[in-house]
Amino acid sequence: MQVFRQDKKRWREFLIRLSRSAELIAPVKTDLLRFEPITDPEQIYLEKNAYFPLKEWFFRKEEVIFQFTGNKLTVPAFTAPKQRIFFGVRKCDLNAIRHQDMVFINDVGDPYYKAQREHSLLLGYHCNTAPSQYCFCGSMDLVDFFDLMFYDKEDYFLIEVGSDRGEALIAEHHDLFEQHNRLITQDEKHIPGADRLKVKDIAHLYDNPGWKEGVDKCLSCGACTALCPTCYCFEFHDETKLADPQSGERKRFWSSCQLQDFTRVAGDHVFRKEREERFKHRIYHQLDYFREKYGIQMCVGCGRCIEGCPTRIDFVDIINRMERPEKKEA
Ligand code: SF4
Ligand code: SF4
């Protein structure tokens, strides 16, 4: 992969140029850290990973699937937004987009998701160290998935090219980059302090009583799944107005496997009635079931589901203790 160098003054100029030709979206600190459109690089906050992942930009919280009037259905036009450039995306979130692409594009060809993903460029920001005590991306099998990746070297950036589109972006602004004469090393790609999860294959732990620690504290609130960059449960609702009940919209909304109603079906049967089943389902989908289907764990180790959990349930600690019970007594 080609590598370029850019001093920080030029980096600011680069982002200003990008914001003039496209919608530039980066982490901004408001109430909490989230990805927002920006016009000035000074708005960008890179000290921590964003509290909210990028997911909502592609798999939207609310999506109109079709409108109806009587028996007539109208599907909205799949208009892709104009070019959007996302800057400051961490390795965990880049891989999470890759996993969502596997589901929504490769697997089912979802036109709503595809329209949002089109014309989006992903510019990564490498973590020099784990940005939170809850991160464990180093324990997961993450890959390079970006158009450009920025490695922060204090006074300057090294920039690794990950795609033709990334290369074209640099070519377009070649006056702001210098070709660098070496590749990014594996040591530079390593993220210290991010390898907390000791075992990813947890099939043998399903009946372990150690899960009780998490199950007993779980409120089934769904915060973990809303904050997770890879979770993709959804449900449909038909919305009409009282004045005209023949017309309305079918919408897709984010949902959560942690809610009891998520598996409620006709006849009032609930497939995962017990909190323990729901709690374990989330962890096993992340680490086991997705891997069975797609060959890789869905979880990318961002730690958001732990940081955002109101009772701070740390499933990584729970698994580590189940796997090595002697550690619990030490
Ligand atoms: S955020 Fe915590 S309490 Fe809420 S459903 Fe998830 S694990 Fe349970
Ligand atoms: S399960 Fe938790 S740690 Fe894994 S990707 Fe989702 S939010 Fe991040």
Side-chain angles (χ1 to χ4, degrees):
M1 286 183 182
Q2 288 191 82
V3 177
F4 292 83
R5 188 186 194 281
Q6 185 176 54
D7 69 39
K8 293 224 166 155
K9 205 168 151 212
R10 286 183 166 175
W11 169 71
R12 285 191 187 85
E13 170 63 22
F14 176 56
L15 292 187
I16 288 168
R17 282 194 204 170
L18 294 184
S19 72
R20 287 182 190 141
S21 60
E23 188 176 23
L24 181 60
I25 296 154
V28 174
K29 200 167 186 211
T30 49
D31 51 340
L32 289 162
L33 196 53
R34 62 178 77 223
F35 283 87
E36 302 262 9
I38 62 154
T39 49
D40 180 350
E42 295 302 319
Q43 295 171 267
I44 299 176
Y45 188 87
L46 293 171
E47 300 302 311
K48 284 191 73 185
N49 194 9
Y51 188 80
F52 298 99
L54 265 191
K55 175 170 80 173
E56 62 187 302
W57 287 91
F58 307 124
F59 169 37
R60 296 194 289 189
K61 285 180 188 162
E62 178 180 329
E63 186 86 63
V64 176
I65 301 299
F66 57 75
Q67 279 116 7
F68 57 87
T69 304
N71 287 332
K72 185 166 177 277
L73 305 183
T74 312
V75 177
F78 299 114
T79 316
K82 67 170 190 172
Q83 170 110 77
R84 296 193 299 201
I85 301 178
F86 295 88
F87 177 82
V89 192
R90 311 290 174 130
K91 187 170 190 171
C92 54
D93 282 353
L94 291 161
N95 275 264
I97 295 166
R98 177 171 178 260
H99 296 173
Q100 295 235 312
D101 285 356
M102 288 176 180
V103 175
F104 286 112
I105 297 180
N106 305 355
D107 207 356
V108 298
D110 182 296
Y112 307 90
Y113 179 90
K114 271 164 88 175
Q116 297 306 315
R117 275 288 278 126
E118 263 186 3
H119 308 147
S120 61
L121 274 170
L122 300 173
L123 311 191
Y125 179 78
H126 179 75
C127 301
N128 281 335
T129 183
S132 139
Q133 68 191 96
Y134 305 110
C135 295
F136 57 98
C137 66
S139 303
M140 311 312 288
D141 300 319
L142 305 191
V143 299
D144 286 340
F145 183 75
F146 48 78
D147 293 300
L148 297 176
M149 176 60 94
F150 285 68
Y151 294 81
D152 198 331
K153 302 290 180 186
E154 295 203 3
D155 297 334
Y156 63 94
F157 285 108
L158 289 183
I159 300 119
E160 191 175 26
V161 177
S163 73
D164 292 346
R165 297 199 310 158
E167 191 176 348
L169 194 66
I170 289 196
E172 193 182 331
H173 302 280
H174 58 89
D175 54 314
L176 299 177
F177 294 87
E178 294 160 40
Q179 185 92 37
H180 198 59
N181 57 8
R182 70 165 177 84
L183 299 179
I184 304 292
T185 64
Q186 284 309 313
D187 268 1
E188 286 172 296
K189 292 191 181 204
H190 177 68
I191 301 173
D195 54 357
R196 297 194 303 127
L197 180 63
K198 303 301 175 209
V199 57
K200 295 194 290 280
D201 183 354
I202 57 168
H204 62 292
L205 296 176
Y206 194 85
D207 293 321
N208 192 302
W211 290 111
K212 189 174 182 320
E213 179 192 337
V215 173
D216 285 352
K217 281 164 63 184
C218 180
L219 309 172
S220 296
C221 66
C224 48
T225 53
L227 290 172
C228 177
T230 61
C231 280
Y232 56 87
C233 290
F234 57 81
E235 55 192 72
F236 292 110
H237 294 257
D238 288 349
E239 291 185 355
T240 58
K241 292 205 169 66
L242 271 180
D244 181 14
Q246 292 293 311
S247 302
E249 293 177 326
R250 174 161 296 178
K251 288 183 176 175
R252 176 171 73 187
F253 293 91
W254 284 8
S255 190
S256 171
C257 60
Q258 298 307 289
L259 311 180
Q260 199 186 62
D261 275 353
F262 183 68
T263 56
R264 188 182 297 280
V265 294
D268 207 23
H269 181 73
V270 178
F271 280 95
R272 283 190 288 274
K273 206 166 192 169
E274 301 304 321
R275 183 172 45 171
E276 179 176 350
E277 298 169 292
R278 298 194 297 276
F279 182 83
K280 286 190 197 171
H281 179 78
R282 176 173 73 88
I283 312 298
Y284 275 81
H285 188 205
Q286 290 286 348
L287 295 180
D288 209 21
Y289 310 151
F290 190 88
R291 179 175 53 87
E292 281 172 19
K293 184 164 183 190
Y294 298 99
I296 188 167
Q297 281 83 15
M298 182 160 90
C299 176
V300 292
C302 70
R304 286 188 180 94
C305 60
I306 304 165
E307 186 169 8
C309 171
T311 58
R312 224 14 96 66
I313 299 168
D314 188 335
F315 80 86
V316 174
D317 272 354
I318 292 172
I319 291 172
N320 287 345
R321 280 202 288 271
M322 283 192 283
E323 184 62 14
R324 296 183 187 168
E326 71 281 359
K327 290 257 168 79
K328 195 176 181 179
E329 288 148 27

PDB file of all heavy atoms in Angstrom, residues 248-262:
ATOM      1  N   GLY A 248     -50.750   5.885   4.016  1.00  0.00           N
ATOM      2  CA  GLY A 248     -49.734   5.946   5.056  1.00  0.00           C
ATOM      3  C   GLY A 248     -48.385   5.461   4.565  1.00  0.00           C
ATOM      4  O   GLY A 248     -48.138   5.419   3.353  1.00  0.00           O
ATOM      5  N   GLU A 249     -47.541   5.109   5.516  1.00  0.00           N
ATOM      6  CA  GLU A 249     -46.173   4.689   5.178  1.00  0.00           C
ATOM      7  C   GLU A 249     -45.807   3.442   5.968  1.00  0.00           C
ATOM      8  O   GLU A 249     -46.215   3.297   7.126  1.00  0.00           O
ATOM      9  CB  GLU A 249     -45.171   5.788   5.563  1.00  0.00           C
ATOM     10  CG  GLU A 249     -45.299   7.039   4.749  1.00  0.00           C
ATOM     11  CD  GLU A 249     -44.331   8.114   5.216  1.00  0.00           C
ATOM     12  OE1 GLU A 249     -44.041   8.198   6.430  1.00  0.00           O
ATOM     13  OE2 GLU A 249     -43.867   8.865   4.356  1.00  0.00           O
ATOM     14  N   ARG A 250     -45.048   2.573   5.336  1.00  0.00           N
ATOM     15  CA  ARG A 250     -44.409   1.488   6.084  1.00  0.00           C
ATOM     16  C   ARG A 250     -42.973   1.920   6.352  1.00  0.00           C
ATOM     17  O   ARG A 250     -42.244   2.297   5.430  1.00  0.00           O
ATOM     18  CB  ARG A 250     -44.420   0.178   5.314  1.00  0.00           C
ATOM     19  CG  ARG A 250     -43.634  -0.916   6.040  1.00  0.00           C
ATOM     20  CD  ARG A 250     -43.987  -2.289   5.571  1.00  0.00           C
ATOM     21  NE  ARG A 250     -45.387  -2.599   5.869  1.00  0.00           N
ATOM     22  CZ  ARG A 250     -45.994  -3.739   5.534  1.00  0.00           C
ATOM     23  NH1 ARG A 250     -45.316  -4.681   4.908  1.00  0.00           N
ATOM     24  NH2 ARG A 250     -47.264  -3.940   5.822  1.00  0.00           N
ATOM     25  N   LYS A 251     -42.600   1.888   7.642  1.00  0.00           N
ATOM     26  CA  LYS A 251     -41.262   2.356   8.016  1.00  0.00           C
ATOM     27  C   LYS A 251     -40.470   1.251   8.704  1.00  0.00           C
ATOM     28  O   LYS A 251     -41.049   0.425   9.412  1.00  0.00           O
ATOM     29  CB  LYS A 251     -41.373   3.539   8.973  1.00  0.00           C
ATOM     30  CG  LYS A 251     -41.847   4.823   8.319  1.00  0.00           C
ATOM     31  CD  LYS A 251     -41.839   5.939   9.343  1.00  0.00           C
ATOM     32  CE  LYS A 251     -42.210   7.260   8.736  1.00  0.00           C
ATOM     33  NZ  LYS A 251     -42.318   8.304   9.764  1.00  0.00           N
ATOM     34  N   ARG A 252     -39.177   1.331   8.494  1.00  0.00           N
ATOM     35  CA  ARG A 252     -38.273   0.422   9.210  1.00  0.00           C
ATOM     36  C   ARG A 252     -37.609   1.229  10.325  1.00  0.00           C
ATOM     37  O   ARG A 252     -37.116   2.333  10.084  1.00  0.00           O
ATOM     38  CB  ARG A 252     -37.215  -0.104   8.239  1.00  0.00           C
ATOM     39  CG  ARG A 252     -36.171  -0.987   8.906  1.00  0.00           C
ATOM     40  CD  ARG A 252     -35.277  -1.660   7.893  1.00  0.00           C
ATOM     41  NE  ARG A 252     -34.336  -0.756   7.265  1.00  0.00           N
ATOM     42  CZ  ARG A 252     -33.546  -1.090   6.262  1.00  0.00           C
ATOM     43  NH1 ARG A 252     -33.603  -2.308   5.750  1.00  0.00           N
ATOM     44  NH2 ARG A 252     -32.705  -0.219   5.747  1.00  0.00           N
ATOM     45  N   PHE A 253     -37.586   0.659  11.515  1.00  0.00           N
ATOM     46  CA  PHE A 253     -36.953   1.304  12.667  1.00  0.00           C
ATOM     47  C   PHE A 253     -35.912   0.363  13.277  1.00  0.00           C
ATOM     48  O   PHE A 253     -36.101  -0.857  13.260  1.00  0.00           O
ATOM     49  CB  PHE A 253     -37.989   1.591  13.767  1.00  0.00           C
ATOM     50  CG  PHE A 253     -39.023   2.615  13.406  1.00  0.00           C
ATOM     51  CD1 PHE A 253     -40.223   2.234  12.825  1.00  0.00           C
ATOM     52  CD2 PHE A 253     -38.806   3.958  13.651  1.00  0.00           C
ATOM     53  CE1 PHE A 253     -41.187   3.169  12.490  1.00  0.00           C
ATOM     54  CE2 PHE A 253     -39.765   4.904  13.318  1.00  0.00           C
ATOM     55  CZ  PHE A 253     -40.955   4.513  12.737  1.00  0.00           C
ATOM     56  N   TRP A 254     -34.891   0.946  13.866  1.00  0.00           N
ATOM     57  CA  TRP A 254     -33.965   0.126  14.656  1.00  0.00           C
ATOM     58  C   TRP A 254     -34.751  -0.570  15.755  1.00  0.00           C
ATOM     59  O   TRP A 254     -35.687  -0.004  16.328  1.00  0.00           O
ATOM     60  CB  TRP A 254     -32.930   1.007  15.356  1.00  0.00           C
ATOM     61  CG  TRP A 254     -31.837   1.531  14.504  1.00  0.00           C
ATOM     62  CD1 TRP A 254     -31.721   1.439  13.144  1.00  0.00           C
ATOM     63  CD2 TRP A 254     -30.700   2.270  14.964  1.00  0.00           C
ATOM     64  NE1 TRP A 254     -30.578   2.077  12.737  1.00  0.00           N
ATOM     65  CE2 TRP A 254     -29.938   2.590  13.827  1.00  0.00           C
ATOM     66  CE3 TRP A 254     -30.253   2.692  16.209  1.00  0.00           C
ATOM     67  CZ2 TRP A 254     -28.744   3.319  13.908  1.00  0.00           C
ATOM     68  CZ3 TRP A 254     -29.085   3.414  16.306  1.00  0.00           C
ATOM     69  CH2 TRP A 254     -28.337   3.723  15.167  1.00  0.00           C
ATOM     70  N   SER A 255     -34.339  -1.780  16.060  1.00  0.00           N
ATOM     71  CA  SER A 255     -34.928  -2.471  17.197  1.00  0.00           C
ATOM     72  C   SER A 255     -33.804  -3.130  17.995  1.00  0.00           C
ATOM     73  O   SER A 255     -32.627  -2.836  17.758  1.00  0.00           O
ATOM     74  CB  SER A 255     -35.949  -3.497  16.704  1.00  0.00           C
ATOM     75  OG  SER A 255     -36.677  -4.000  17.800  1.00  0.00           O
ATOM     76  N   SER A 256     -34.156  -4.011  18.899  1.00  0.00           N
ATOM     77  CA  SER A 256     -33.131  -4.620  19.744  1.00  0.00           C
ATOM     78  C   SER A 256     -33.544  -6.005  20.182  1.00  0.00           C
ATOM     79  O   SER A 256     -34.673  -6.208  20.658  1.00  0.00           O
ATOM     80  CB  SER A 256     -32.903  -3.739  20.989  1.00  0.00           C
ATOM     81  OG  SER A 256     -32.065  -4.414  21.903  1.00  0.00           O
ATOM     82  N   CYS A 257     -32.609  -6.933  20.074  1.00  0.00           N
ATOM     83  CA  CYS A 257     -32.858  -8.301  20.534  1.00  0.00           C
ATOM     84  C   CYS A 257     -32.977  -8.362  22.052  1.00  0.00           C
ATOM     85  O   CYS A 257     -33.320  -9.414  22.600  1.00  0.00           O
ATOM     86  CB  CYS A 257     -31.745  -9.228  20.054  1.00  0.00           C
ATOM     87  SG  CYS A 257     -30.116  -8.750  20.665  1.00  0.00           S
ATOM     88  N   GLN A 258     -32.668  -7.249  22.722  1.00  0.00           N
ATOM     89  CA  GLN A 258     -32.757  -7.245  24.183  1.00  0.00           C
ATOM     90  C   GLN A 258     -34.177  -6.951  24.680  1.00  0.00           C
ATOM     91  O   GLN A 258     -34.471  -7.091  25.861  1.00  0.00           O
ATOM     92  CB  GLN A 258     -31.782  -6.204  24.764  1.00  0.00           C
ATOM     93  CG  GLN A 258     -30.326  -6.501  24.443  1.00  0.00           C
ATOM     94  CD  GLN A 258     -29.930  -7.915  24.831  1.00  0.00           C
ATOM     95  OE1 GLN A 258     -29.817  -8.242  26.011  1.00  0.00           O
ATOM     96  NE2 GLN A 258     -29.755  -8.785  23.850  1.00  0.00           N
ATOM     97  N   LEU A 259     -35.045  -6.526  23.770  1.00  0.00           N
ATOM     98  CA  LEU A 259     -36.425  -6.206  24.162  1.00  0.00           C
ATOM     99  C   LEU A 259     -37.285  -7.458  24.037  1.00  0.00           C
ATOM    100  O   LEU A 259     -37.205  -8.178  23.036  1.00  0.00           O
ATOM    101  CB  LEU A 259     -36.984  -5.097  23.262  1.00  0.00           C
ATOM    102  CG  LEU A 259     -36.095  -3.859  23.078  1.00  0.00           C
ATOM    103  CD1 LEU A 259     -36.777  -2.853  22.160  1.00  0.00           C
ATOM    104  CD2 LEU A 259     -35.762  -3.221  24.432  1.00  0.00           C
ATOM    105  N   GLN A 260     -38.120  -7.683  25.017  1.00  0.00           N
ATOM    106  CA  GLN A 260     -38.917  -8.909  24.990  1.00  0.00           C
ATOM    107  C   GLN A 260     -39.842  -8.939  23.761  1.00  0.00           C
ATOM    108  O   GLN A 260     -40.052  -9.976  23.150  1.00  0.00           O
ATOM    109  CB  GLN A 260     -39.741  -9.030  26.272  1.00  0.00           C
ATOM    110  CG  GLN A 260     -40.203 -10.446  26.520  1.00  0.00           C
ATOM    111  CD  GLN A 260     -41.127 -10.552  27.705  1.00  0.00           C
ATOM    112  OE1 GLN A 260     -42.208  -9.959  27.717  1.00  0.00           O
ATOM    113  NE2 GLN A 260     -40.703 -11.305  28.694  1.00  0.00           N
ATOM    114  N   ASP A 261     -40.375  -7.765  23.385  1.00  0.00           N
ATOM    115  CA  ASP A 261     -41.315  -7.730  22.260  1.00  0.00           C
ATOM    116  C   ASP A 261     -40.654  -8.007  20.913  1.00  0.00           C
ATOM    117  O   ASP A 261     -41.356  -8.224  19.930  1.00  0.00           O
ATOM    118  CB  ASP A 261     -42.016  -6.359  22.199  1.00  0.00           C
ATOM    119  CG  ASP A 261     -43.226  -6.337  23.119  1.00  0.00           C
ATOM    120  OD1 ASP A 261     -43.569  -7.404  23.658  1.00  0.00           O
ATOM    121  OD2 ASP A 261     -43.803  -5.251  23.288  1.00  0.00           O
ATOM    122  N   PHE A 262     -39.347  -7.988  20.867  1.00  0.00           N
ATOM    123  CA  PHE A 262     -38.668  -8.194  19.577  1.00  0.00           C
ATOM    124  C   PHE A 262     -39.004  -9.552  18.973  1.00  0.00           C
ATOM    125  O   PHE A 262     -39.087  -9.700  17.756  1.00  0.00           O
ATOM    126  CB  PHE A 262     -37.152  -8.036  19.754  1.00  0.00           C
ATOM    127  CG  PHE A 262     -36.387  -8.171  18.465  1.00  0.00           C
ATOM    128  CD1 PHE A 262     -36.494  -7.212  17.468  1.00  0.00           C
ATOM    129  CD2 PHE A 262     -35.575  -9.274  18.228  1.00  0.00           C
ATOM    130  CE1 PHE A 262     -35.810  -7.332  16.271  1.00  0.00           C
ATOM    131  CE2 PHE A 262     -34.881  -9.403  17.029  1.00  0.00           C
ATOM    132  CZ  PHE A 262     -35.005  -8.439  16.053  1.00  0.00           C
TER     133      PHE A 262
END
